Amino acid sequence: MPPSTSKSAPPDRLRVGECVVDIASREVMAPGARRPSRLTPKAIAVLRVLAEQPGQVVSREQLLAEVWPDTLPTNDVVTQAITQLRKALQYAGDEAGRAGGIETIAKTGYRLLAPVQWEHAAPAVVPVAPVAVPLAPEARVAPAVEAAPAPVLAALPAPSRPRRPWRALSILVFAVLVAVLLAFWWRQHRAAPGALAEEGGDERVVGMPRLPYRLITSGGGFDLTPTLSPDGSMVAYASISESRPGTSIRIQTTSNSPSRELVAPGAGESDRLPAWSLDGRQLAFARQGEDGSCRVMVAAANGAASEREVARCDHTELLSFSWVPGRNALMFGSMTGGNASGGIRELDLETGAWRDLRYGSRARDFDYAPKYSPDGRWIAFVRNPQLGGVWVMPAQGGEARRLTRERAEIRGFDWLPDSSGIVFGRRVDSQSRLYRLDLETRRLRDLGLNDAESPSISPDNGQLAFVQRRPQFALFRLQRSNAHGGYEREHLFASNGRDAQPMISPDGRHLAFTSDRSGEYALWWADLARPDSLHPIPGLLPETRQPVDWSADSRTLLAIGRDAEGRAQLYEVTPAESRVNQLPVPAPRPLQGLHVGPGTRLMVLSAEPGGDATLILYDRSRKPWQELARLEDVSQARYDSSTGQVFFTRFSSSGLWRIGADLAPNGLALVDADAPARWRYRSWALAGNGRAYYLSSTAECSATGSWLGAASASAGDTCLAANEFSTINGFSIDQQDGALYMAIAETDGAGIGFMTLPKQEAPAFGVVSKLLSDLGKPPS
């Protein structure tokens, strides 16, 4: 007779609502589905954690700890797993109709609300032929998985008795292992401040859990680009002045003491980018004038002497510098303007002499924010910040190698005190986060700080300062007013999150945008004639780098999203039907998809290994897609159906170009030589008839609109939002009535956070592994 299933055996199947999940095969069978869907191992592990606590909130931190132990994943992996689960369990909704029965608890975690039941699969009955050879007492037959001819089982020899000394040693090792595991368990599960404490059998609330950091500036303004003194006791930062336009350098202790101004900039000047010298006595900073002039200044940190100019940086777009260890010198990144230089170089502050560093770089590369490691052996920098990565090279020069694999928006970095790695900021979905990267192992760990960027680490004791900015962006329609020549603002949808990249369809009826308003990042859609149609598109995790592109008939759109493995893919979305279709684009790393006319041609902007991007024209009617033409060095592209032209920007320089839809070189023409700036390559939109509109920022107006090219001659700049910043990663124009669709900050501000840098903890099994290594192997 078939063996009975033991009660202690793990269940084989999980019933979630009306869906049945086979744990071993990771297959989900939904009612009405033609075939089962397959989950990734991590998605099935997340489901098991949620199912073990049905109806209870499971935090993202718990999911990361249980599903991704001993790794350093980003928060993206949880979002991707939840998205895949909701898609597979879309018919297992709870009574409230939530897809997959999984509820998002904003800023906390997730809760499985669908009914859950663990089941044991009926064991397969397999006819077994009689076996003449007796089995040893220790031999056990594994349960059959599928019907197969009965195997002939040979007798298993009885195991040899181990030598007594090694039995004692094994007991000792096992005891040590148990002790280490208990210590690890206690460390992970000990009560944290703010938990419920028991006293006399009753529960009492101790208080909120303590954050690992504290804000040392919290005035509600904008405090940016912090730099810590070597001992971590002082911080300097750039702060937007309340009394006049522009910024000044403020300095204070890291214990929330009142700040003081380092030096007073002149009228119409702004001081920014402070950098503390390695001896703690001086601060270098940049001073920018209203006329676009730029000077690098040095001042005593104690304010005892006036500042002095050490270099000119006239009309530079993206300035960066840091101090050189052991010498009175500054190291500069690539510079444009009057003192242009394509590579990294050093300035001796005593002699005024420049020295170019010899290392591997191309003419079009822009190397930003170079910094020496504390031990003086290495130089790290960001190459091509628009599509950037962190690179490192020997301090004496030589070949540079890439540290970060994924090209992303790097939001500052700094070295660890022991030079073993870096901490860097990068944009993830709707916010910036800090990550710790080990140079030797290449392990990456999320530091768990929300809305954090621009890290600064004190080399003496590992204190960490960073910028924490938590803006709330809402969507607005800006309509030209005939009464006063400006724009009237209309708030579109109420939101408690961050709405961005509003793209209006060609017919002016449909709006698509990205948002975290539901607690997780998603692509949203609404028919503007029916506000109640607003909803997220399930099954798509959009990228933040480029906005979506509508088809000419306003029915579908192209969007870049990430699949279950975190890879960028091109998707065709029918938002009114919530249908998402992954396209078989040959480009290995798509950044943007573009409709080109009503036919079967599409354009795809694809990232190149060296940090560039290429615009490729495809015929999608062929299988595989046929490449028709390509255009190199493109950062963003837009198709103007009224002229049949493709407008685009470049990574290597500022300006706007246009070219025919066939990408023929003889059709290339320059539209505007100066704007958009190469760092604001997404802050422009087409208005039809070959006109392009550009958003920039000045000291007097946070969001300034201007026409580009020939259209700029008859129209001046317009201040669209004097005190509120707009998002820089996409806006759109209704070509029917000229209305602008923008994301503008309703609440904004930035403060400086401060904490002790967490120590890199060794894995719990490290002690045991070392002990086993020291003990050696038993004799054979």
Side-chain angles (χ1 to χ4, degrees):
M1 61 180 293
S4 62
T5 305
S6 171
K7 291 183 179 180
S8 61
D12 305 290
R13 298 187 307 188
L14 172 65
R15 184 177 293 276
V16 182
E18 298 300 320
C19 297
V20 177
V21 183
D22 188 283
I23 301 299
S25 65
R26 308 195 310 275
E27 291 184 340
V28 180
M29 177 58 73
R34 299 178 59 184
R35 61 179 61 89
S37 58
R38 178 71 58 84
L39 296 173
T40 63
K42 295 302 184 184
I44 201 75
V46 169
L47 178 60
R48 296 192 66 159
V49 175
L50 294 174
E52 289 168 358
Q53 305 173 63
Q56 301 182 27
V57 179
V58 180
S59 68
R60 298 175 72 94
E61 290 73 19
Q62 180 181 346
L63 290 173
L64 287 169
E66 296 196 29
V67 180
W68 289 270
D70 300 324
T71 61
L72 303 176
T74 67
N75 274 334
D76 294 352
V77 296
V78 178
T79 302
Q80 292 163 15
I82 294 294
T83 299
Q84 188 186 37
L85 287 174
R86 283 178 169 156
K87 184 176 181 180
L89 303 172
Q90 57 183 311
Y91 300 105
D94 63 330
E95 295 178 355
R98 298 176 181 87
I102 301 176
E103 180 186 16
T104 298
I105 308 301
K107 309 299 182 184
T108 304
Y110 303 93
R111 178 167 54 181
L112 183 60
L113 296 181
V116 174
Q117 181 181 358
W118 290 95
E119 299 177 349
H120 290 281
V125 179
V126 181
V128 180
V131 181
V133 183
L135 296 178
E138 293 83 1
R140 283 187 268 178
V141 180
V145 176
E146 58 184 3
V152 178
L153 302 180
L156 300 178
S160 59
R161 186 176 302 276
R163 301 180 183 182
R164 294 185 180 276
W166 284 107
R167 173 179 294 178
L169 183 58
S170 300
I171 295 174
L172 173 62
V173 172
F174 179 76
V176 173
L177 176 62
V178 171
V180 171
L181 288 178
L182 287 174
F184 177 74
W185 180 90
W186 172 252
R187 183 179 64 185
Q188 295 295 107
H189 295 81
R190 66 178 181 266
L196 294 175
E198 295 186 3
E199 185 176 281
D202 297 328
E203 292 181 343
R204 61 185 178 87
V205 177
V206 176
M208 290 181 59
R210 294 186 62 183
L211 295 173
Y213 66 93
R214 53 189 171 86
L215 289 175
I216 56 177
T217 66
S218 54
F222 282 91
D223 301 322
L224 307 167
T225 59
T227 177
L228 283 174
S229 61
D231 62 1
S233 64
M234 304 287 289
V235 63
Y237 52 91
S239 181
I240 294 181
S241 173
E242 297 180 356
S243 59
R244 59 175 180 79
T247 58
S248 63
I249 305 300
R250 310 291 301 183
I251 187 172
Q252 67 175 68
T253 67
T254 52
S255 58
N256 293 78
S257 64
S259 65
R260 63 175 174 85
E261 194 171 53
L262 178 66
V263 292
E269 294 180 327
S270 291
D271 291 351
R272 58 193 183 96
L273 302 178
W276 216 297
S277 65
L278 301 180
D279 61 6
R281 298 179 180 179
Q282 302 180 92
L283 278 163
F285 60 93
R287 174 165 290 173
Q288 195 162 8
E290 288 180 318
D291 57 355
S293 62
C294 174
R295 296 179 291 163
V296 179
M297 316 293 290
V298 172
N302 59 10
S306 60
E307 72 273 21
R308 71 183 191 280
E309 178 183 324
V310 298
R312 287 292 176 106
C313 45
D314 296 316
H315 304 289
T316 189
E317 291 181 271
L318 200 63
L319 181 66
S320 61
F321 49 84
S322 62
W323 290 85
V324 177
R327 294 191 288 117
N328 189 21
L330 291 174
M331 179 170 58
F332 287 77
S334 300
M335 292 175 61
T336 59
N339 292 284
S341 173
I344 299 174
R345 56 182 177 165
E346 294 181 359
L347 172 66
D348 190 308
L349 299 185
E350 296 178 358
T351 65
W354 290 91
R355 182 178 74 92
D356 293 333
L357 272 65
R358 298 183 179 275
Y359 65 103
S361 64
R362 303 170 305 172
R364 68 171 59 173
D365 286 333
F366 192 96
D367 294 338
Y368 176 67
K371 294 180 182 180
Y372 274 94
S373 60
D375 61 10
R377 298 176 56 201
W378 305 95
I379 295 174
F381 58 92
V382 177
R383 172 159 288 177
N384 303 326
Q386 312 102 311
L387 195 64
V390 182
W391 293 61
V392 67
M393 67 178 181
Q396 65 273 18
E399 195 64 30
R401 62 185 178 94
R402 192 184 189 101
L403 287 181
T404 57
R405 297 182 179 91
E406 187 175 355
R407 289 172 286 274
E409 296 179 46
I410 303 297
R411 302 287 183 93
F413 78 91
D414 206 355
W415 283 94
L416 296 173
D418 60 0
S419 304
S420 64
I422 61 170
V423 171
F424 68 94
R426 62 157 290 189
R427 185 177 176 85
V428 179
D429 296 340
S430 61
Q431 64 173 265
S432 297
R433 303 186 65 82
L434 293 185
Y435 297 85
R436 179 174 183 157
L437 176 66
D438 183 89
L439 266 64
E440 182 176 356
T441 65
R442 304 295 288 271
R443 292 186 69 192
L444 187 69
R445 184 172 65 149
D446 189 328
L447 292 186
L449 304 175
N450 295 331
D451 300 288
E453 58 186 61
S454 303
S456 174
I457 300 174
S458 59
D460 292 353
N461 54 12
Q463 301 295 320
L464 169 67
F466 58 92
V467 171
Q468 186 176 64
R469 182 185 179 190
R470 292 181 173 177
Q472 180 178 326
F473 287 93
L475 300 183
F476 292 87
R477 178 197 286 118
L478 280 70
Q479 189 74 51
R480 174 73 72 175
S481 172
N482 295 327
H484 52 80
Y487 284 87
E488 293 182 352
R489 186 187 301 183
E490 175 190 357
H491 191 186
L492 293 179
F493 307 110
S495 174
N496 60 355
R498 304 175 199 186
D499 301 340
Q501 299 174 307
M503 293 292 118
I504 189 68
S505 60
D507 62 7
R509 288 189 52 186
H510 306 278
L511 189 70
F513 61 95
T514 56
S515 178
D516 65 352
R517 57 172 54 212
S518 67
E520 61 182 22
Y521 194 63
L523 178 67
W524 287 70
W525 166 86
D527 183 339
L528 295 180
R530 298 186 299 109
D532 60 341
S533 64
L534 178 67
H535 71 271
I537 306 299
L540 177 67
L541 180 61
E543 278 274 14
T544 61
R545 184 177 288 115
Q546 300 282 9
V548 302
D549 183 73
W550 282 98
S551 61
D553 61 6
S554 301
R555 291 189 63 252
T556 64
L557 53 83
L558 296 175
I560 300 295
R562 294 196 291 275
D563 62 16
E565 304 300 326
R567 295 183 295 262
Q569 304 288 352
L570 178 63
Y571 295 89
E572 187 172 48
V573 182
T574 308
E577 302 172 9
S578 294
R579 190 167 68 244
V580 178
N581 178 37
Q582 181 179 326
L583 297 180
V585 56
R589 181 62 173 89
L591 301 173
Q592 182 189 10
L594 201 65
H595 291 97
V596 185
T600 61
R601 294 188 174 189
L602 289 181
M603 285 187 180
V604 177
L605 185 63
S606 176
E608 302 292 344
D612 297 329
T614 300
L615 186 64
I616 308 174
L617 175 64
Y618 288 107
D619 181 355
R620 63 183 297 189
S621 66
R622 306 291 185 89
K623 294 183 180 181
W625 290 8
Q626 180 182 5
E627 179 180 325
L628 303 177
R630 58 172 50 207
L631 179 66
E632 295 182 349
D633 188 21
V634 176
S635 55
Q636 184 176 236
R638 290 285 169 208
Y639 177 69
D640 185 2
S641 60
S642 62
T643 63
Q645 298 278 310
V646 176
F647 289 70
F648 66 94
T649 51
R650 294 187 183 276
F651 279 131
S652 60
S653 62
S654 300
L656 181 68
W657 286 261
R658 59 179 169 85
I659 194 171
D662 58 358
L663 300 185
N666 58 2
L668 181 64
L670 180 64
V671 176
D672 195 298
D674 301 318
R678 64 196 296 188
W679 317 117
R680 297 181 68 94
Y681 65 96
R682 297 170 296 181
S683 298
W684 61 281
L686 293 179
N689 298 319
R691 298 177 303 152
Y693 201 67
Y694 176 52
L695 290 183
S696 59
S697 179
T698 65
E700 295 77 20
C701 182
S702 298
T704 300
S706 58
W707 293 99
L708 299 179
S712 64
S714 58
D717 296 346
T718 302
C719 185
L720 302 174
N723 301 312
E724 309 107 321
F725 288 100
S726 65
T727 58
I728 64 170
N729 58 349
F731 72 104
S732 60
I733 301 176
D734 188 342
Q735 299 189 18
Q736 307 295 322
D737 60 8
L740 305 177
Y741 288 83
M742 297 172 51
I744 300 175
E746 288 192 305
T747 60
D748 208 350
I752 307 299
F754 180 76
M755 62 184 288
T756 299
L757 189 68
K759 294 183 179 180
Q760 188 81 311
E761 296 182 356
F765 295 97
V767 177
V768 179
S769 300
K770 186 177 186 305
L771 177 60
L772 293 175
S773 176
D774 293 341
L775 289 175
K777 298 181 179 180
S780 57

PDB file of all heavy atoms in Angstrom, residues 183-205:
ATOM      1  N   ALA A 183      23.110  32.759  18.851  1.00  0.00           N
ATOM      2  CA  ALA A 183      23.544  34.153  19.008  1.00  0.00           C
ATOM      3  C   ALA A 183      23.053  35.011  17.853  1.00  0.00           C
ATOM      4  O   ALA A 183      22.610  36.150  18.036  1.00  0.00           O
ATOM      5  CB  ALA A 183      25.066  34.216  19.124  1.00  0.00           C
ATOM      6  N   PHE A 184      23.128  34.459  16.650  1.00  0.00           N
ATOM      7  CA  PHE A 184      22.654  35.204  15.463  1.00  0.00           C
ATOM      8  C   PHE A 184      21.149  35.438  15.551  1.00  0.00           C
ATOM      9  O   PHE A 184      20.652  36.517  15.262  1.00  0.00           O
ATOM     10  CB  PHE A 184      23.003  34.430  14.197  1.00  0.00           C
ATOM     11  CG  PHE A 184      22.505  35.075  12.935  1.00  0.00           C
ATOM     12  CD1 PHE A 184      23.129  36.204  12.437  1.00  0.00           C
ATOM     13  CD2 PHE A 184      21.414  34.552  12.265  1.00  0.00           C
ATOM     14  CE1 PHE A 184      22.671  36.797  11.269  1.00  0.00           C
ATOM     15  CE2 PHE A 184      20.952  35.145  11.111  1.00  0.00           C
ATOM     16  CZ  PHE A 184      21.584  36.277  10.608  1.00  0.00           C
ATOM     17  N   TRP A 185      20.423  34.357  15.970  1.00  0.00           N
ATOM     18  CA  TRP A 185      18.970  34.505  16.102  1.00  0.00           C
ATOM     19  C   TRP A 185      18.625  35.561  17.139  1.00  0.00           C
ATOM     20  O   TRP A 185      17.741  36.383  16.945  1.00  0.00           O
ATOM     21  CB  TRP A 185      18.368  33.167  16.487  1.00  0.00           C
ATOM     22  CG  TRP A 185      16.866  33.230  16.644  1.00  0.00           C
ATOM     23  CD1 TRP A 185      15.933  33.029  15.692  1.00  0.00           C
ATOM     24  CD2 TRP A 185      16.151  33.516  17.855  1.00  0.00           C
ATOM     25  NE1 TRP A 185      14.675  33.185  16.212  1.00  0.00           N
ATOM     26  CE2 TRP A 185      14.775  33.488  17.545  1.00  0.00           C
ATOM     27  CE3 TRP A 185      16.534  33.808  19.164  1.00  0.00           C
ATOM     28  CZ2 TRP A 185      13.795  33.727  18.495  1.00  0.00           C
ATOM     29  CZ3 TRP A 185      15.558  34.044  20.111  1.00  0.00           C
ATOM     30  CH2 TRP A 185      14.201  34.007  19.775  1.00  0.00           C
ATOM     31  N   TRP A 186      19.339  35.581  18.243  1.00  0.00           N
ATOM     32  CA  TRP A 186      19.067  36.553  19.307  1.00  0.00           C
ATOM     33  C   TRP A 186      19.345  37.970  18.827  1.00  0.00           C
ATOM     34  O   TRP A 186      18.572  38.891  19.101  1.00  0.00           O
ATOM     35  CB  TRP A 186      19.919  36.224  20.533  1.00  0.00           C
ATOM     36  CG  TRP A 186      19.835  37.299  21.605  1.00  0.00           C
ATOM     37  CD1 TRP A 186      20.787  38.190  21.963  1.00  0.00           C
ATOM     38  CD2 TRP A 186      18.703  37.572  22.439  1.00  0.00           C
ATOM     39  NE1 TRP A 186      20.347  39.004  22.955  1.00  0.00           N
ATOM     40  CE2 TRP A 186      19.054  38.656  23.272  1.00  0.00           C
ATOM     41  CE3 TRP A 186      17.438  37.004  22.557  1.00  0.00           C
ATOM     42  CZ2 TRP A 186      18.184  39.170  24.216  1.00  0.00           C
ATOM     43  CZ3 TRP A 186      16.564  37.532  23.498  1.00  0.00           C
ATOM     44  CH2 TRP A 186      16.937  38.596  24.317  1.00  0.00           C
ATOM     45  N   ARG A 187      20.417  38.128  18.058  1.00  0.00           N
ATOM     46  CA  ARG A 187      20.764  39.461  17.548  1.00  0.00           C
ATOM     47  C   ARG A 187      19.713  39.961  16.575  1.00  0.00           C
ATOM     48  O   ARG A 187      19.358  41.126  16.544  1.00  0.00           O
ATOM     49  CB  ARG A 187      22.134  39.430  16.870  1.00  0.00           C
ATOM     50  CG  ARG A 187      22.586  40.799  16.381  1.00  0.00           C
ATOM     51  CD  ARG A 187      23.950  40.711  15.746  1.00  0.00           C
ATOM     52  NE  ARG A 187      23.911  39.886  14.556  1.00  0.00           N
ATOM     53  CZ  ARG A 187      24.989  39.566  13.849  1.00  0.00           C
ATOM     54  NH1 ARG A 187      26.178  39.973  14.241  1.00  0.00           N
ATOM     55  NH2 ARG A 187      24.872  38.824  12.768  1.00  0.00           N
ATOM     56  N   GLN A 188      19.176  39.045  15.732  1.00  0.00           N
ATOM     57  CA  GLN A 188      18.185  39.448  14.724  1.00  0.00           C
ATOM     58  C   GLN A 188      16.805  39.668  15.333  1.00  0.00           C
ATOM     59  O   GLN A 188      16.017  40.440  14.791  1.00  0.00           O
ATOM     60  CB  GLN A 188      18.082  38.370  13.639  1.00  0.00           C
ATOM     61  CG  GLN A 188      19.344  38.210  12.829  1.00  0.00           C
ATOM     62  CD  GLN A 188      19.647  39.444  12.020  1.00  0.00           C
ATOM     63  OE1 GLN A 188      20.564  40.172  12.358  1.00  0.00           O
ATOM     64  NE2 GLN A 188      18.879  39.688  10.984  1.00  0.00           N
ATOM     65  N   HIS A 189      16.483  38.987  16.437  1.00  0.00           N
ATOM     66  CA  HIS A 189      15.120  39.019  16.948  1.00  0.00           C
ATOM     67  C   HIS A 189      14.987  39.680  18.310  1.00  0.00           C
ATOM     68  O   HIS A 189      13.898  39.678  18.882  1.00  0.00           O
ATOM     69  CB  HIS A 189      14.558  37.590  17.038  1.00  0.00           C
ATOM     70  CG  HIS A 189      14.403  36.937  15.713  1.00  0.00           C
ATOM     71  ND1 HIS A 189      15.459  36.349  15.057  1.00  0.00           N
ATOM     72  CD2 HIS A 189      13.318  36.799  14.907  1.00  0.00           C
ATOM     73  CE1 HIS A 189      15.019  35.852  13.904  1.00  0.00           C
ATOM     74  NE2 HIS A 189      13.734  36.117  13.792  1.00  0.00           N
ATOM     75  N   ARG A 190      16.075  40.231  18.845  1.00  0.00           N
ATOM     76  CA  ARG A 190      15.938  40.873  20.149  1.00  0.00           C
ATOM     77  C   ARG A 190      15.032  42.093  20.025  1.00  0.00           C
ATOM     78  O   ARG A 190      14.941  42.720  18.988  1.00  0.00           O
ATOM     79  CB  ARG A 190      17.317  41.265  20.692  1.00  0.00           C
ATOM     80  CG  ARG A 190      18.024  42.346  19.891  1.00  0.00           C
ATOM     81  CD  ARG A 190      19.358  42.676  20.550  1.00  0.00           C
ATOM     82  NE  ARG A 190      20.068  43.714  19.834  1.00  0.00           N
ATOM     83  CZ  ARG A 190      20.970  43.491  18.913  1.00  0.00           C
ATOM     84  NH1 ARG A 190      21.272  42.249  18.585  1.00  0.00           N
ATOM     85  NH2 ARG A 190      21.585  44.489  18.315  1.00  0.00           N
ATOM     86  N   ALA A 191      14.378  42.428  21.114  1.00  0.00           N
ATOM     87  CA  ALA A 191      13.387  43.505  21.087  1.00  0.00           C
ATOM     88  C   ALA A 191      14.050  44.824  20.752  1.00  0.00           C
ATOM     89  O   ALA A 191      15.067  45.198  21.320  1.00  0.00           O
ATOM     90  CB  ALA A 191      12.696  43.608  22.446  1.00  0.00           C
ATOM     91  N   ALA A 192      13.478  45.535  19.802  1.00  0.00           N
ATOM     92  CA  ALA A 192      13.973  46.848  19.403  1.00  0.00           C
ATOM     93  C   ALA A 192      13.215  47.913  20.162  1.00  0.00           C
ATOM     94  O   ALA A 192      12.074  47.712  20.573  1.00  0.00           O
ATOM     95  CB  ALA A 192      13.790  47.047  17.896  1.00  0.00           C
ATOM     96  N   PRO A 193      13.837  49.098  20.363  1.00  0.00           N
ATOM     97  CA  PRO A 193      13.115  50.189  21.005  1.00  0.00           C
ATOM     98  C   PRO A 193      11.846  50.486  20.222  1.00  0.00           C
ATOM     99  O   PRO A 193      11.846  50.559  19.010  1.00  0.00           O
ATOM    100  CB  PRO A 193      14.120  51.351  20.935  1.00  0.00           C
ATOM    101  CG  PRO A 193      15.459  50.703  20.787  1.00  0.00           C
ATOM    102  CD  PRO A 193      15.203  49.446  20.013  1.00  0.00           C
ATOM    103  N   GLY A 194      10.770  50.696  20.932  1.00  0.00           N
ATOM    104  CA  GLY A 194       9.524  51.005  20.270  1.00  0.00           C
ATOM    105  C   GLY A 194       8.620  49.811  20.123  1.00  0.00           C
ATOM    106  O   GLY A 194       7.495  49.929  19.675  1.00  0.00           O
ATOM    107  N   ALA A 195       9.088  48.596  20.508  1.00  0.00           N
ATOM    108  CA  ALA A 195       8.239  47.417  20.428  1.00  0.00           C
ATOM    109  C   ALA A 195       7.292  47.398  21.631  1.00  0.00           C
ATOM    110  O   ALA A 195       7.372  48.229  22.526  1.00  0.00           O
ATOM    111  CB  ALA A 195       9.085  46.158  20.393  1.00  0.00           C
ATOM    112  N   LEU A 196       6.395  46.399  21.646  1.00  0.00           N
ATOM    113  CA  LEU A 196       5.494  46.251  22.781  1.00  0.00           C
ATOM    114  C   LEU A 196       6.217  45.504  23.895  1.00  0.00           C
ATOM    115  O   LEU A 196       6.700  44.401  23.706  1.00  0.00           O
ATOM    116  CB  LEU A 196       4.236  45.492  22.363  1.00  0.00           C
ATOM    117  CG  LEU A 196       3.335  46.220  21.356  1.00  0.00           C
ATOM    118  CD1 LEU A 196       2.194  45.303  20.950  1.00  0.00           C
ATOM    119  CD2 LEU A 196       2.795  47.495  21.961  1.00  0.00           C
ATOM    120  N   ALA A 197       6.301  46.111  25.055  1.00  0.00           N
ATOM    121  CA  ALA A 197       6.983  45.488  26.185  1.00  0.00           C
ATOM    122  C   ALA A 197       5.965  44.854  27.113  1.00  0.00           C
ATOM    123  O   ALA A 197       4.865  45.370  27.290  1.00  0.00           O
ATOM    124  CB  ALA A 197       7.803  46.540  26.947  1.00  0.00           C
ATOM    125  N   GLU A 198       6.348  43.712  27.698  1.00  0.00           N
ATOM    126  CA  GLU A 198       5.466  43.004  28.617  1.00  0.00           C
ATOM    127  C   GLU A 198       5.874  43.307  30.043  1.00  0.00           C
ATOM    128  O   GLU A 198       7.047  43.279  30.401  1.00  0.00           O
ATOM    129  CB  GLU A 198       5.523  41.496  28.357  1.00  0.00           C
ATOM    130  CG  GLU A 198       4.981  41.089  26.989  1.00  0.00           C
ATOM    131  CD  GLU A 198       4.919  39.594  26.816  1.00  0.00           C
ATOM    132  OE1 GLU A 198       5.258  38.896  27.787  1.00  0.00           O
ATOM    133  OE2 GLU A 198       4.532  39.137  25.733  1.00  0.00           O
ATOM    134  N   GLU A 199       4.873  43.600  30.863  1.00  0.00           N
ATOM    135  CA  GLU A 199       5.134  43.859  32.274  1.00  0.00           C
ATOM    136  C   GLU A 199       3.934  43.358  33.056  1.00  0.00           C
ATOM    137  O   GLU A 199       2.835  43.901  32.943  1.00  0.00           O
ATOM    138  CB  GLU A 199       5.356  45.361  32.498  1.00  0.00           C
ATOM    139  CG  GLU A 199       5.757  45.689  33.925  1.00  0.00           C
ATOM    140  CD  GLU A 199       6.058  47.166  34.082  1.00  0.00           C
ATOM    141  OE1 GLU A 199       7.161  47.574  33.690  1.00  0.00           O
ATOM    142  OE2 GLU A 199       5.195  47.900  34.565  1.00  0.00           O
ATOM    143  N   GLY A 200       4.140  42.307  33.830  1.00  0.00           N
ATOM    144  CA  GLY A 200       3.037  41.745  34.590  1.00  0.00           C
ATOM    145  C   GLY A 200       1.967  41.142  33.713  1.00  0.00           C
ATOM    146  O   GLY A 200       0.796  41.132  34.067  1.00  0.00           O
ATOM    147  N   GLY A 201       2.356  40.642  32.527  1.00  0.00           N
ATOM    148  CA  GLY A 201       1.393  40.022  31.642  1.00  0.00           C
ATOM    149  C   GLY A 201       0.652  41.009  30.770  1.00  0.00           C
ATOM    150  O   GLY A 201      -0.133  40.610  29.916  1.00  0.00           O
ATOM    151  N   ASP A 202       0.830  42.322  30.967  1.00  0.00           N
ATOM    152  CA  ASP A 202       0.156  43.327  30.158  1.00  0.00           C
ATOM    153  C   ASP A 202       1.117  43.890  29.120  1.00  0.00           C
ATOM    154  O   ASP A 202       2.334  43.825  29.262  1.00  0.00           O
ATOM    155  CB  ASP A 202      -0.365  44.471  31.043  1.00  0.00           C
ATOM    156  CG  ASP A 202      -1.406  43.981  32.035  1.00  0.00           C
ATOM    157  OD1 ASP A 202      -2.120  43.039  31.665  1.00  0.00           O
ATOM    158  OD2 ASP A 202      -1.473  44.541  33.150  1.00  0.00           O
ATOM    159  N   GLU A 203       0.556  44.469  28.071  1.00  0.00           N
ATOM    160  CA  GLU A 203       1.364  45.097  27.040  1.00  0.00           C
ATOM    161  C   GLU A 203       1.336  46.606  27.220  1.00  0.00           C
ATOM    162  O   GLU A 203       0.298  47.193  27.527  1.00  0.00           O
ATOM    163  CB  GLU A 203       0.825  44.747  25.640  1.00  0.00           C
ATOM    164  CG  GLU A 203       1.001  43.287  25.264  1.00  0.00           C
ATOM    165  CD  GLU A 203       0.471  43.013  23.869  1.00  0.00           C
ATOM    166  OE1 GLU A 203      -0.288  43.836  23.361  1.00  0.00           O
ATOM    167  OE2 GLU A 203       0.819  41.965  23.300  1.00  0.00           O
ATOM    168  N   ARG A 204       2.466  47.238  27.021  1.00  0.00           N
ATOM    169  CA  ARG A 204       2.527  48.688  27.067  1.00  0.00           C
ATOM    170  C   ARG A 204       3.396  49.167  25.904  1.00  0.00           C
ATOM    171  O   ARG A 204       4.342  48.498  25.499  1.00  0.00           O
ATOM    172  CB  ARG A 204       3.089  49.188  28.396  1.00  0.00           C
ATOM    173  CG  ARG A 204       4.508  48.723  28.694  1.00  0.00           C
ATOM    174  CD  ARG A 204       4.948  49.160  30.081  1.00  0.00           C
ATOM    175  NE  ARG A 204       6.275  48.680  30.388  1.00  0.00           N
ATOM    176  CZ  ARG A 204       7.401  49.329  30.071  1.00  0.00           C
ATOM    177  NH1 ARG A 204       7.338  50.478  29.423  1.00  0.00           N
ATOM    178  NH2 ARG A 204       8.583  48.831  30.397  1.00  0.00           N
ATOM    179  N   VAL A 205       3.084  50.305  25.371  1.00  0.00           N
ATOM    180  CA  VAL A 205       3.802  50.874  24.242  1.00  0.00           C
ATOM    181  C   VAL A 205       4.971  51.691  24.758  1.00  0.00           C
ATOM    182  O   VAL A 205       4.793  52.638  25.533  1.00  0.00           O
ATOM    183  CB  VAL A 205       2.867  51.746  23.379  1.00  0.00           C
ATOM    184  CG1 VAL A 205       3.644  52.382  22.247  1.00  0.00           C
ATOM    185  CG2 VAL A 205       1.722  50.903  22.832  1.00  0.00           C
TER     186      VAL A 205
END
